[in-house]
Amino acid sequence: MLSVFVPSEFSLKKATATDLGALPEGAVWVDLVNPTVEEDRAVEKLAGIAVPTREDMQEIEISSRLYIENSARYMTATLMCQSDTDMPRTTAVTFILTGHRLVTVRYDLPKPFALVENKLARACSPSITGEQVLMELLDAVIDRCADILERCGADIDQVSHDIFEPESERHGHAKQYSQILIAIGRKGDLTSKVRESLVSIGRLVTFLSAVVEGVKWSKDMREQLKTMQRDVASLTDHASYLSNKITFVLDAMLGVVNLEQNNIIKLFSVMAVVLMPPTLIASIYGMNFKVMPELEWAHGYPYALVLMLIAAIVPYWIFKWKKWL
């Protein structure tokens, strides 16, 4: 799908291109989503650039993600998708600045793009440029990462509360333990993906700051780039902190599970020790020797029962007195 954004009076109008041979020259933002070969060729003709393929966007080398070609600046970043679901994923998005026009190439639907589209459609400067659209997109991406980390931090705090709260009904239930472990695993996966996205965005912002030295960008845009660099650095540190916290919570959860298992094993051990003397007494009086004086007792049976009961109570009382139970 090919979307073209043309500035009008105090807004940015979106139009889905139907005639690929007549793309508007005044377009400041061309958004390619799962582009076809014909759409790639039309944009290449309009902007005078080479649109990278999906395979090119998946390259992890810095030289393949951040470079300048024919005066156009190519920048590929890893962005979050489906972060509000149980199956978050990352996708590569390429930003191409050529002249004062921005071309974006993506094969997924990151939420910041829809937010920026709605924001610029409501109100924007009629003289908006592709560089300003790029700054809006990067700002929205960074804000989105911050929101994800905030939500992830709150969820980890709740998981930590569920583990360490002594009155929690989860203790002693293997099913609830497995649910907590699944929740920890999902938050760890989400945090690692956000950190991966932040690292790529940080590299993009650093590259952009370097290439604008010879470009006449406004002072506000330069200051905004510096602010983005500081935000990305702080969010990356926060993502690392959350990763360490998730590791701690996971270790604590495994420790609680081990304690629970040890308590169960201890209970079986105590029961075996408590039942050992009664079993011994019952075994003795179950032997088939001819000369056993107790066999002739009138009260031999109740005597043996009382003796077995005492033999079971005494070890139990000793365990309680030693505080082993």
Side-chain angles (χ1 to χ4, degrees), residues 169-188:
E169 296 180 357
R170 288 177 171 81
H171 290 275
H173 299 283
K175 183 178 179 181
Q176 298 294 342
Y177 283 153
S178 65
Q179 291 177 352
I180 292 177
L181 288 173
I182 290 173
I184 294 174
R186 287 176 176 170
K187 298 308 171 186

PDB file of all heavy atoms in Angstrom, residues 169-188:
ATOM      1  N   GLU A 169      -2.870 -16.474  48.018  1.00  0.00           N
ATOM      2  CA  GLU A 169      -3.414 -17.799  47.817  1.00  0.00           C
ATOM      3  C   GLU A 169      -2.618 -18.596  46.792  1.00  0.00           C
ATOM      4  O   GLU A 169      -2.852 -19.783  46.600  1.00  0.00           O
ATOM      5  CB  GLU A 169      -4.871 -17.699  47.348  1.00  0.00           C
ATOM      6  CG  GLU A 169      -5.801 -17.064  48.377  1.00  0.00           C
ATOM      7  CD  GLU A 169      -7.224 -16.991  47.872  1.00  0.00           C
ATOM      8  OE1 GLU A 169      -7.456 -17.386  46.709  1.00  0.00           O
ATOM      9  OE2 GLU A 169      -8.093 -16.551  48.635  1.00  0.00           O
ATOM     10  N   ARG A 170      -1.663 -17.948  46.159  1.00  0.00           N
ATOM     11  CA  ARG A 170      -0.904 -18.642  45.134  1.00  0.00           C
ATOM     12  C   ARG A 170       0.080 -19.635  45.728  1.00  0.00           C
ATOM     13  O   ARG A 170       0.517 -20.562  45.073  1.00  0.00           O
ATOM     14  CB  ARG A 170      -0.149 -17.625  44.260  1.00  0.00           C
ATOM     15  CG  ARG A 170      -1.063 -16.838  43.339  1.00  0.00           C
ATOM     16  CD  ARG A 170      -0.271 -15.814  42.555  1.00  0.00           C
ATOM     17  NE  ARG A 170      -1.071 -15.194  41.511  1.00  0.00           N
ATOM     18  CZ  ARG A 170      -1.910 -14.215  41.697  1.00  0.00           C
ATOM     19  NH1 ARG A 170      -2.074 -13.732  42.907  1.00  0.00           N
ATOM     20  NH2 ARG A 170      -2.610 -13.708  40.690  1.00  0.00           N
ATOM     21  N   HIS A 171       0.482 -19.411  46.969  1.00  0.00           N
ATOM     22  CA  HIS A 171       1.466 -20.287  47.571  1.00  0.00           C
ATOM     23  C   HIS A 171       0.876 -21.671  47.738  1.00  0.00           C
ATOM     24  O   HIS A 171      -0.229 -21.855  48.253  1.00  0.00           O
ATOM     25  CB  HIS A 171       1.929 -19.731  48.930  1.00  0.00           C
ATOM     26  CG  HIS A 171       2.770 -18.496  48.786  1.00  0.00           C
ATOM     27  ND1 HIS A 171       4.122 -18.562  48.568  1.00  0.00           N
ATOM     28  CD2 HIS A 171       2.447 -17.182  48.788  1.00  0.00           C
ATOM     29  CE1 HIS A 171       4.598 -17.337  48.474  1.00  0.00           C
ATOM     30  NE2 HIS A 171       3.603 -16.486  48.603  1.00  0.00           N
ATOM     31  N   GLY A 172       1.664 -22.651  47.319  1.00  0.00           N
ATOM     32  CA  GLY A 172       1.231 -24.027  47.459  1.00  0.00           C
ATOM     33  C   GLY A 172       0.460 -24.541  46.269  1.00  0.00           C
ATOM     34  O   GLY A 172       0.024 -25.686  46.276  1.00  0.00           O
ATOM     35  N   HIS A 173       0.279 -23.756  45.230  1.00  0.00           N
ATOM     36  CA  HIS A 173      -0.474 -24.182  44.054  1.00  0.00           C
ATOM     37  C   HIS A 173       0.461 -24.158  42.848  1.00  0.00           C
ATOM     38  O   HIS A 173       0.877 -23.091  42.395  1.00  0.00           O
ATOM     39  CB  HIS A 173      -1.676 -23.268  43.812  1.00  0.00           C
ATOM     40  CG  HIS A 173      -2.658 -23.274  44.960  1.00  0.00           C
ATOM     41  ND1 HIS A 173      -3.536 -24.293  45.164  1.00  0.00           N
ATOM     42  CD2 HIS A 173      -2.869 -22.376  45.953  1.00  0.00           C
ATOM     43  CE1 HIS A 173      -4.269 -24.023  46.241  1.00  0.00           C
ATOM     44  NE2 HIS A 173      -3.879 -22.869  46.731  1.00  0.00           N
ATOM     45  N   ALA A 174       0.761 -25.345  42.343  1.00  0.00           N
ATOM     46  CA  ALA A 174       1.698 -25.450  41.224  1.00  0.00           C
ATOM     47  C   ALA A 174       1.170 -24.741  39.988  1.00  0.00           C
ATOM     48  O   ALA A 174       1.929 -24.152  39.221  1.00  0.00           O
ATOM     49  CB  ALA A 174       1.970 -26.921  40.918  1.00  0.00           C
ATOM     50  N   LYS A 175      -0.151 -24.752  39.778  1.00  0.00           N
ATOM     51  CA  LYS A 175      -0.730 -24.103  38.612  1.00  0.00           C
ATOM     52  C   LYS A 175      -0.482 -22.604  38.651  1.00  0.00           C
ATOM     53  O   LYS A 175      -0.131 -21.993  37.636  1.00  0.00           O
ATOM     54  CB  LYS A 175      -2.226 -24.403  38.544  1.00  0.00           C
ATOM     55  CG  LYS A 175      -2.906 -23.815  37.311  1.00  0.00           C
ATOM     56  CD  LYS A 175      -4.368 -24.183  37.268  1.00  0.00           C
ATOM     57  CE  LYS A 175      -5.046 -23.576  36.035  1.00  0.00           C
ATOM     58  NZ  LYS A 175      -6.491 -23.919  35.985  1.00  0.00           N
ATOM     59  N   GLN A 176      -0.661 -21.986  39.824  1.00  0.00           N
ATOM     60  CA  GLN A 176      -0.425 -20.546  39.940  1.00  0.00           C
ATOM     61  C   GLN A 176       1.054 -20.218  39.772  1.00  0.00           C
ATOM     62  O   GLN A 176       1.404 -19.191  39.191  1.00  0.00           O
ATOM     63  CB  GLN A 176      -0.928 -20.051  41.305  1.00  0.00           C
ATOM     64  CG  GLN A 176      -2.413 -20.248  41.523  1.00  0.00           C
ATOM     65  CD  GLN A 176      -3.244 -19.401  40.575  1.00  0.00           C
ATOM     66  OE1 GLN A 176      -2.745 -18.447  39.991  1.00  0.00           O
ATOM     67  NE2 GLN A 176      -4.508 -19.747  40.407  1.00  0.00           N
ATOM     68  N   TYR A 177       1.923 -21.106  40.282  1.00  0.00           N
ATOM     69  CA  TYR A 177       3.353 -20.895  40.098  1.00  0.00           C
ATOM     70  C   TYR A 177       3.701 -20.894  38.616  1.00  0.00           C
ATOM     71  O   TYR A 177       4.496 -20.077  38.150  1.00  0.00           O
ATOM     72  CB  TYR A 177       4.149 -21.990  40.811  1.00  0.00           C
ATOM     73  CG  TYR A 177       4.236 -21.808  42.309  1.00  0.00           C
ATOM     74  CD1 TYR A 177       4.400 -22.903  43.151  1.00  0.00           C
ATOM     75  CD2 TYR A 177       4.181 -20.541  42.879  1.00  0.00           C
ATOM     76  CE1 TYR A 177       4.492 -22.741  44.516  1.00  0.00           C
ATOM     77  CE2 TYR A 177       4.268 -20.367  44.232  1.00  0.00           C
ATOM     78  CZ  TYR A 177       4.424 -21.470  45.056  1.00  0.00           C
ATOM     79  OH  TYR A 177       4.514 -21.295  46.403  1.00  0.00           O
ATOM     80  N   SER A 178       3.135 -21.814  37.855  1.00  0.00           N
ATOM     81  CA  SER A 178       3.427 -21.872  36.419  1.00  0.00           C
ATOM     82  C   SER A 178       2.930 -20.609  35.713  1.00  0.00           C
ATOM     83  O   SER A 178       3.590 -20.105  34.797  1.00  0.00           O
ATOM     84  CB  SER A 178       2.784 -23.118  35.804  1.00  0.00           C
ATOM     85  OG  SER A 178       1.367 -23.051  35.877  1.00  0.00           O
ATOM     86  N   GLN A 179       1.787 -20.069  36.152  1.00  0.00           N
ATOM     87  CA  GLN A 179       1.282 -18.832  35.553  1.00  0.00           C
ATOM     88  C   GLN A 179       2.220 -17.657  35.838  1.00  0.00           C
ATOM     89  O   GLN A 179       2.449 -16.806  34.969  1.00  0.00           O
ATOM     90  CB  GLN A 179      -0.121 -18.534  36.093  1.00  0.00           C
ATOM     91  CG  GLN A 179      -1.183 -19.520  35.618  1.00  0.00           C
ATOM     92  CD  GLN A 179      -2.540 -19.243  36.237  1.00  0.00           C
ATOM     93  OE1 GLN A 179      -2.667 -18.400  37.132  1.00  0.00           O
ATOM     94  NE2 GLN A 179      -3.552 -19.964  35.779  1.00  0.00           N
ATOM     95  N   ILE A 180       2.764 -17.610  37.055  1.00  0.00           N
ATOM     96  CA  ILE A 180       3.706 -16.545  37.396  1.00  0.00           C
ATOM     97  C   ILE A 180       4.970 -16.666  36.560  1.00  0.00           C
ATOM     98  O   ILE A 180       5.497 -15.676  36.049  1.00  0.00           O
ATOM     99  CB  ILE A 180       4.034 -16.582  38.897  1.00  0.00           C
ATOM    100  CG1 ILE A 180       2.801 -16.200  39.721  1.00  0.00           C
ATOM    101  CG2 ILE A 180       5.183 -15.636  39.225  1.00  0.00           C
ATOM    102  CD1 ILE A 180       3.008 -16.276  41.212  1.00  0.00           C
ATOM    103  N   LEU A 181       5.464 -17.894  36.385  1.00  0.00           N
ATOM    104  CA  LEU A 181       6.664 -18.102  35.577  1.00  0.00           C
ATOM    105  C   LEU A 181       6.424 -17.695  34.124  1.00  0.00           C
ATOM    106  O   LEU A 181       7.296 -17.108  33.477  1.00  0.00           O
ATOM    107  CB  LEU A 181       7.101 -19.566  35.656  1.00  0.00           C
ATOM    108  CG  LEU A 181       7.722 -20.010  36.988  1.00  0.00           C
ATOM    109  CD1 LEU A 181       7.959 -21.511  36.995  1.00  0.00           C
ATOM    110  CD2 LEU A 181       9.032 -19.272  37.235  1.00  0.00           C
ATOM    111  N   ILE A 182       5.236 -18.000  33.602  1.00  0.00           N
ATOM    112  CA  ILE A 182       4.903 -17.593  32.230  1.00  0.00           C
ATOM    113  C   ILE A 182       4.869 -16.069  32.124  1.00  0.00           C
ATOM    114  O   ILE A 182       5.371 -15.480  31.159  1.00  0.00           O
ATOM    115  CB  ILE A 182       3.561 -18.204  31.811  1.00  0.00           C
ATOM    116  CG1 ILE A 182       3.700 -19.721  31.633  1.00  0.00           C
ATOM    117  CG2 ILE A 182       3.054 -17.575  30.513  1.00  0.00           C
ATOM    118  CD1 ILE A 182       2.387 -20.431  31.379  1.00  0.00           C
ATOM    119  N   ALA A 183       4.265 -15.416  33.136  1.00  0.00           N
ATOM    120  CA  ALA A 183       4.209 -13.946  33.129  1.00  0.00           C
ATOM    121  C   ALA A 183       5.611 -13.344  33.167  1.00  0.00           C
ATOM    122  O   ALA A 183       5.910 -12.384  32.443  1.00  0.00           O
ATOM    123  CB  ALA A 183       3.382 -13.456  34.317  1.00  0.00           C
ATOM    124  N   ILE A 184       6.495 -13.910  33.989  1.00  0.00           N
ATOM    125  CA  ILE A 184       7.875 -13.412  34.059  1.00  0.00           C
ATOM    126  C   ILE A 184       8.571 -13.581  32.713  1.00  0.00           C
ATOM    127  O   ILE A 184       9.274 -12.682  32.233  1.00  0.00           O
ATOM    128  CB  ILE A 184       8.645 -14.143  35.175  1.00  0.00           C
ATOM    129  CG1 ILE A 184       8.058 -13.793  36.549  1.00  0.00           C
ATOM    130  CG2 ILE A 184      10.125 -13.771  35.133  1.00  0.00           C
ATOM    131  CD1 ILE A 184       8.663 -14.580  37.688  1.00  0.00           C
ATOM    132  N   GLY A 185       8.366 -14.742  32.088  1.00  0.00           N
ATOM    133  CA  GLY A 185       8.997 -14.980  30.793  1.00  0.00           C
ATOM    134  C   GLY A 185       8.520 -14.002  29.732  1.00  0.00           C
ATOM    135  O   GLY A 185       9.321 -13.502  28.931  1.00  0.00           O
ATOM    136  N   ARG A 186       7.222 -13.715  29.729  1.00  0.00           N
ATOM    137  CA  ARG A 186       6.689 -12.772  28.735  1.00  0.00           C
ATOM    138  C   ARG A 186       7.226 -11.365  28.953  1.00  0.00           C
ATOM    139  O   ARG A 186       7.572 -10.658  27.990  1.00  0.00           O
ATOM    140  CB  ARG A 186       5.163 -12.779  28.798  1.00  0.00           C
ATOM    141  CG  ARG A 186       4.522 -14.033  28.203  1.00  0.00           C
ATOM    142  CD  ARG A 186       3.027 -14.040  28.382  1.00  0.00           C
ATOM    143  NE  ARG A 186       2.419 -15.187  27.721  1.00  0.00           N
ATOM    144  CZ  ARG A 186       1.145 -15.552  27.871  1.00  0.00           C
ATOM    145  NH1 ARG A 186       0.349 -14.830  28.666  1.00  0.00           N
ATOM    146  NH2 ARG A 186       0.676 -16.601  27.237  1.00  0.00           N
ATOM    147  N   LYS A 187       7.299 -10.938  30.206  1.00  0.00           N
ATOM    148  CA  LYS A 187       7.814  -9.596  30.477  1.00  0.00           C
ATOM    149  C   LYS A 187       9.297  -9.505  30.139  1.00  0.00           C
ATOM    150  O   LYS A 187       9.773  -8.462  29.662  1.00  0.00           O
ATOM    151  CB  LYS A 187       7.577  -9.219  31.943  1.00  0.00           C
ATOM    152  CG  LYS A 187       6.105  -9.160  32.324  1.00  0.00           C
ATOM    153  CD  LYS A 187       5.323  -8.281  31.381  1.00  0.00           C
ATOM    154  CE  LYS A 187       3.834  -8.372  31.601  1.00  0.00           C
ATOM    155  NZ  LYS A 187       3.070  -7.617  30.586  1.00  0.00           N
ATOM    156  N   GLY A 188      10.030 -10.580  30.389  1.00  0.00           N
ATOM    157  CA  GLY A 188      11.443 -10.584  30.009  1.00  0.00           C
ATOM    158  C   GLY A 188      11.624 -10.489  28.505  1.00  0.00           C
ATOM    159  O   GLY A 188      12.495  -9.753  28.012  1.00  0.00           O
TER     160      GLY A 188
END
